[in-house]
Amino acid sequence: QVQLVESGGGLVQPGGSLRLSCATSGSIFSIKRMGWYRQAPGKRREFVASITSSDSTDYSDSVKGRFTISRDNAKSTVYLQLNSLKPADTAVYYCNADRLLVGLSWQYDVWGQGTQVTVSS
């Protein structure tokens, strides 16, 4: 059963924006750190942004100032706002939870299935 579900990817022109969502069916309050990662064709998966349970955020240098991570506990969803997109941002974007309480069971290092972001004119 998939516990993290990403959505919001698509095709966008350079300079455009997208908002990615990562919804969890577990307890969002159990997550200490939620991260977004991306993997471009032929490249290794790389860190993009993260947010902690205390709302502390971190970004990779390549997206700092353009992307914003946030969370809505009421919707059990973490968002990644992507602005000023560049072709180099093209990748599959994944969300990751360091830990997640699902019912009475803990899961660790949980990944979603990914959502494709393509930046092209």
Side-chain angles (χ1 to χ4, degrees), residues 2 8 27 36 65 72 75 77 98-99:
V2 179
S27 169
W36 282 96
D72 185 335
K75 296 183 178 180
T77 300
D98 62 340
R99 68 178 193 180

PDB file of all heavy atoms in Angstrom, residues 2 8 27 36 65 72 75 77 98-99:
ATOM      1  N   VAL A   2       0.594   2.151  -0.941  1.00  0.00           N
ATOM      2  CA  VAL A   2       1.387   3.366  -1.069  1.00  0.00           C
ATOM      3  C   VAL A   2       0.952   4.358  -0.016  1.00  0.00           C
ATOM      4  O   VAL A   2      -0.221   4.717   0.075  1.00  0.00           O
ATOM      5  CB  VAL A   2       1.224   3.977  -2.484  1.00  0.00           C
ATOM      6  CG1 VAL A   2       2.034   5.257  -2.594  1.00  0.00           C
ATOM      7  CG2 VAL A   2       1.664   2.966  -3.536  1.00  0.00           C
ATOM      8  N   GLY A   8       0.697  16.651  -9.222  1.00  0.00           N
ATOM      9  CA  GLY A   8       0.940  18.037  -9.601  1.00  0.00           C
ATOM     10  C   GLY A   8       1.999  18.238 -10.660  1.00  0.00           C
ATOM     11  O   GLY A   8       2.222  19.363 -11.112  1.00  0.00           O
ATOM     12  N   SER A  27      -0.074   9.270   9.618  1.00  0.00           N
ATOM     13  CA  SER A  27      -0.150  10.440  10.483  1.00  0.00           C
ATOM     14  C   SER A  27       0.947  11.433  10.119  1.00  0.00           C
ATOM     15  O   SER A  27       2.130  11.168  10.342  1.00  0.00           O
ATOM     16  CB  SER A  27       0.003  10.038  11.945  1.00  0.00           C
ATOM     17  OG  SER A  27       0.184  11.183  12.750  1.00  0.00           O
ATOM     18  N   TRP A  36      11.748  16.442  -0.354  1.00  0.00           N
ATOM     19  CA  TRP A  36      11.528  16.275  -1.783  1.00  0.00           C
ATOM     20  C   TRP A  36      12.876  16.011  -2.439  1.00  0.00           C
ATOM     21  O   TRP A  36      13.868  16.691  -2.126  1.00  0.00           O
ATOM     22  CB  TRP A  36      10.895  17.525  -2.401  1.00  0.00           C
ATOM     23  CG  TRP A  36       9.432  17.669  -2.155  1.00  0.00           C
ATOM     24  CD1 TRP A  36       8.829  18.398  -1.169  1.00  0.00           C
ATOM     25  CD2 TRP A  36       8.376  17.084  -2.917  1.00  0.00           C
ATOM     26  NE1 TRP A  36       7.466  18.300  -1.262  1.00  0.00           N
ATOM     27  CE2 TRP A  36       7.152  17.506  -2.341  1.00  0.00           C
ATOM     28  CE3 TRP A  36       8.324  16.258  -4.038  1.00  0.00           C
ATOM     29  CZ2 TRP A  36       5.907  17.113  -2.833  1.00  0.00           C
ATOM     30  CZ3 TRP A  36       7.082  15.870  -4.532  1.00  0.00           C
ATOM     31  CH2 TRP A  36       5.895  16.298  -3.935  1.00  0.00           C
ATOM     32  N   GLY A  65      15.485  30.012  -3.359  1.00  0.00           N
ATOM     33  CA  GLY A  65      14.936  31.243  -3.904  1.00  0.00           C
ATOM     34  C   GLY A  65      13.904  31.030  -4.985  1.00  0.00           C
ATOM     35  O   GLY A  65      13.199  31.978  -5.369  1.00  0.00           O
ATOM     36  N   ASP A  72       0.572  21.309   5.136  1.00  0.00           N
ATOM     37  CA  ASP A  72      -0.774  21.569   5.626  1.00  0.00           C
ATOM     38  C   ASP A  72      -1.187  20.346   6.436  1.00  0.00           C
ATOM     39  O   ASP A  72      -1.586  19.318   5.876  1.00  0.00           O
ATOM     40  CB  ASP A  72      -1.739  21.811   4.457  1.00  0.00           C
ATOM     41  CG  ASP A  72      -3.128  22.214   4.921  1.00  0.00           C
ATOM     42  OD1 ASP A  72      -3.501  21.877   6.057  1.00  0.00           O
ATOM     43  OD2 ASP A  72      -3.845  22.851   4.134  1.00  0.00           O
ATOM     44  N   LYS A  75      -4.625  18.769   5.983  1.00  0.00           N
ATOM     45  CA  LYS A  75      -4.811  17.977   4.759  1.00  0.00           C
ATOM     46  C   LYS A  75      -3.798  16.846   4.648  1.00  0.00           C
ATOM     47  O   LYS A  75      -3.777  16.138   3.642  1.00  0.00           O
ATOM     48  CB  LYS A  75      -4.716  18.882   3.525  1.00  0.00           C
ATOM     49  CG  LYS A  75      -5.817  19.927   3.447  1.00  0.00           C
ATOM     50  CD  LYS A  75      -5.717  20.748   2.176  1.00  0.00           C
ATOM     51  CE  LYS A  75      -6.853  21.758   2.091  1.00  0.00           C
ATOM     52  NZ  LYS A  75      -6.793  22.585   0.858  1.00  0.00           N
ATOM     53  N   THR A  77      -0.744  16.887   3.977  1.00  0.00           N
ATOM     54  CA  THR A  77      -0.086  17.083   2.682  1.00  0.00           C
ATOM     55  C   THR A  77       1.095  18.037   2.830  1.00  0.00           C
ATOM     56  O   THR A  77       1.023  19.022   3.572  1.00  0.00           O
ATOM     57  CB  THR A  77      -1.088  17.652   1.662  1.00  0.00           C
ATOM     58  OG1 THR A  77      -2.168  16.728   1.501  1.00  0.00           O
ATOM     59  CG2 THR A  77      -0.421  17.880   0.312  1.00  0.00           C
ATOM     60  N   ASP A  98      10.935  10.478   6.727  1.00  0.00           N
ATOM     61  CA  ASP A  98      11.931   9.706   7.479  1.00  0.00           C
ATOM     62  C   ASP A  98      11.270   8.606   8.287  1.00  0.00           C
ATOM     63  O   ASP A  98      11.829   7.531   8.468  1.00  0.00           O
ATOM     64  CB  ASP A  98      12.751  10.625   8.369  1.00  0.00           C
ATOM     65  CG  ASP A  98      11.915  11.347   9.425  1.00  0.00           C
ATOM     66  OD1 ASP A  98      10.681  11.458   9.254  1.00  0.00           O
ATOM     67  OD2 ASP A  98      12.516  11.798  10.420  1.00  0.00           O
ATOM     68  N   ARG A  99      10.062   8.870   8.760  1.00  0.00           N
ATOM     69  CA  ARG A  99       9.290   7.874   9.473  1.00  0.00           C
ATOM     70  C   ARG A  99       7.820   8.232   9.349  1.00  0.00           C
ATOM     71  O   ARG A  99       7.478   9.396   9.160  1.00  0.00           O
ATOM     72  CB  ARG A  99       9.692   7.798  10.947  1.00  0.00           C
ATOM     73  CG  ARG A  99       9.327   9.039  11.735  1.00  0.00           C
ATOM     74  CD  ARG A  99       9.701   8.919  13.201  1.00  0.00           C
ATOM     75  NE  ARG A  99       9.071   9.979  13.969  1.00  0.00           N
ATOM     76  CZ  ARG A  99       9.216  10.124  15.274  1.00  0.00           C
ATOM     77  NH1 ARG A  99       9.991   9.292  15.961  1.00  0.00           N
ATOM     78  NH2 ARG A  99       8.599  11.101  15.903  1.00  0.00           N
TER      79      ARG A  99
END
